[in-house]
Amino acid sequence: MKDNRIAIITVTKNGVVLAKKIKDKEENIDIYTMKKFSEEGLFEIENSLAETVGDIFKKYYGIIFITAIGIAVRVISPYIQKKDIDPCILVVDENGNFIIPILSGHLGGGNELASEIAKKIKALPLITTSSDISGKIAVDTLATKINGRLKDLESAKKVTSLIVAGEKVQIKVPKNISDENPSGVILVSNRENIEITQIIPKNIVIGIGCKKGSLKEKIIFAIKDILKELNISYKAIRVIGTVDVKKDEIGIIESAKYFDVPLKIIQRDEIKKIQDRFEKSEFVEKTIGVTSVSAPCSVLSSEKNGKLLVEKKIYEGITLSVFQEG
């Protein structure tokens, strides 16, 4: 899972000056440059520029090139996959006059990042996506704004094209945002063809306890299975929580990476404060000193009020709980 760090790549002396100016005004920035311009605190481009980009492409939330656009396009082209997983890519001229998002402007946050940095260094952001220049919101931008995930990119693209064209598009909102979370929708319309897409709110918290050495494959299967029974997409998972004694459990760590969500570690002292609300286990209490793990971890990992959909379900040494926020 990528963090929120940003890489700046520059191959000129003036570019280094601008990169340092941006770093002074924006947190979480690493600067990469040629050996002859390198200094303390900067990363040296040891091999070719293309190889360096390949090494860091999946590690950063965004990459800013202080180069010609052609250079940026050529070096990123072998590594581009899909807009929902690619980092945002921006290009800035070395005088700091213009900032242009060229990849992942919506889902990757490139347009927003360009606007933020432009304000700080007094540059002009050149946004080229049609929804932005028309003053309308794209479906993938909406998903990002509400911390949701797109069910699929193709339907989102089709509905966005309707928005840009000025067609009437309705938003149907579930309980997590208003007052219902439907399993089905009846749409009354005389249109022969209607484009429909779905944004999945990230409002599910998984609490987990397991035997030492539990395999990630079994944990992943268990999580998918319990959510399938609830008719909930695994894309709705916002965080996975577990107890402090399991903080180094590889299966749990790798499962969180698989679902691309953070792993929250809950201290036993916190669990003890609410453990009486849940089903107790003498074995767990004798082993680690608390009477329950997965259920309190799911509740304590949440940032909002909600309800426990499943207090406890056991899968071959793996115990899961499901909490829904909102």
Side-chain angles (χ1 to χ4, degrees), residues 82 84 139 143 148-156 196-200 233 235:
K82 295 192 300 179
D84 56 340
V139 175
R149 296 179 70 174
L150 295 174
K151 184 176 182 180
D152 65 276
L153 293 173
E154 188 59 32
S155 64
I196 298 175
T197 190
Q198 180 181 352
I199 296 173
I200 301 168
S233 169
K235 293 181 179 180

Side-chain angles (χ1 to χ4, degrees), residues 12-298:
T12 66
K13 185 176 181 179
N14 287 340
V16 171
V17 173
L18 177 59
K20 290 164 69 176
K21 180 180 178 181
I22 296 172
K23 185 172 183 177
D24 287 341
K25 298 178 180 295
E26 187 80 18
E27 297 180 354
N28 300 324
I29 283 185
D30 296 328
I31 300 173
Y32 292 79
T33 190
M34 311 300 289
K35 182 178 181 179
K36 58 184 175 181
F37 304 125
S38 187
E39 56 185 70
E40 186 177 354
L42 307 187
F43 291 89
E44 184 181 315
I45 298 174
E46 297 180 351
N47 300 311
S48 71
L49 181 58
E51 287 176 310
T52 298
V53 171
D55 290 338
I56 70 173
F57 196 76
K58 294 184 178 180
K59 296 179 182 178
Y60 287 92
Y61 163 78
I63 302 175
I64 301 172
F65 286 84
I66 304 179
T67 66
I69 289 180
I71 292 174
V73 170
R74 288 188 182 93
V75 296
I76 69 172
S77 59
Y79 311 111
I80 296 174
Q81 296 182 54
K82 295 192 300 179
K83 63 191 294 186
D84 56 340
I85 59 175
D86 290 332
C88 61
I89 305 294
L90 280 62
V91 176
V92 187
D93 67 286
E94 67 175 38
N95 290 326
N97 294 320
F98 305 103
I99 302 180
I100 310 172
I102 63 171
L103 189 71
S104 296
H106 286 153
L107 275 181
N111 293 352
E112 187 172 357
L113 180 62
S115 297
E116 288 176 2
I117 293 177
K119 288 178 183 178
K120 293 175 181 177
I121 65 171
K122 298 181 179 179
L124 178 66
L126 300 181
I127 311 298
T128 59
T129 43
S130 57
S131 57
D132 292 275
I133 62 176
S134 64
K136 298 170 181 175
I137 191 167
V139 175
D140 45 4
T141 301
L142 179 60
T144 302
K145 292 291 185 184
I146 67 169
N147 193 29
R149 296 179 70 174
L150 295 174
K151 184 176 182 180
D152 65 276
L153 293 173
E154 188 59 32
S155 64
K157 183 169 65 176
K158 290 178 179 178
V159 173
T160 296
S161 68
L162 294 176
I163 295 172
V164 172
E167 296 287 341
K168 183 177 180 180
V169 174
Q170 294 183 339
I171 301 177
K172 304 294 185 181
V173 188
K175 175 172 177 56
N176 317 322
I177 305 167
S178 67
D179 63 355
E180 59 179 321
N181 191 15
S183 298
V185 175
I186 298 174
L187 180 61
V188 179
S189 172
N190 67 354
R191 296 295 184 94
E192 183 175 350
N193 297 307
I194 299 176
E195 299 294 350
I196 298 175
T197 190
Q198 180 181 352
I199 296 173
I200 301 168
K202 293 167 70 173
N203 66 335
I204 294 297
V205 181
I206 301 292
I208 183 170
C210 70
K211 288 182 179 179
K212 185 176 181 179
S214 294
L215 298 176
K216 72 170 185 179
E217 290 81 6
K218 290 187 176 181
I219 295 174
I220 291 168
F221 170 82
I223 292 173
K224 285 185 174 181
D225 184 72
I226 197 170
L227 291 178
K228 186 176 181 180
E229 288 184 2
L230 294 168
N231 192 27
I232 293 174
S233 169
Y234 68 80
K235 293 181 179 180
I237 301 173
R238 186 184 63 77
V239 64
I240 292 174
T242 193
V243 66
D244 52 9
V245 295
K246 293 294 178 181
K247 65 180 181 179
D248 297 320
E249 192 69 45
I250 298 301
I252 296 178
I253 294 170
E254 292 298 320
S255 296
K257 289 180 180 178
Y258 174 85
F259 290 109
D260 194 25
V261 298
L263 176 62
K264 188 168 184 178
I265 305 301
I266 306 299
Q267 301 300 315
R268 280 167 287 176
D269 288 345
E270 292 299 309
I271 291 176
K272 287 177 181 178
K273 295 176 184 178
I274 66 168
Q275 64 182 7
D276 291 340
R277 293 162 49 182
F278 309 105
E279 182 182 338
K280 295 177 174 59
S281 167
E282 293 182 3
F283 173 77
V284 172
E285 184 175 23
K286 186 181 297 183
T287 305
I288 63 172
V290 293
T291 59
S292 180
V293 170
S294 64
C297 282
S298 68

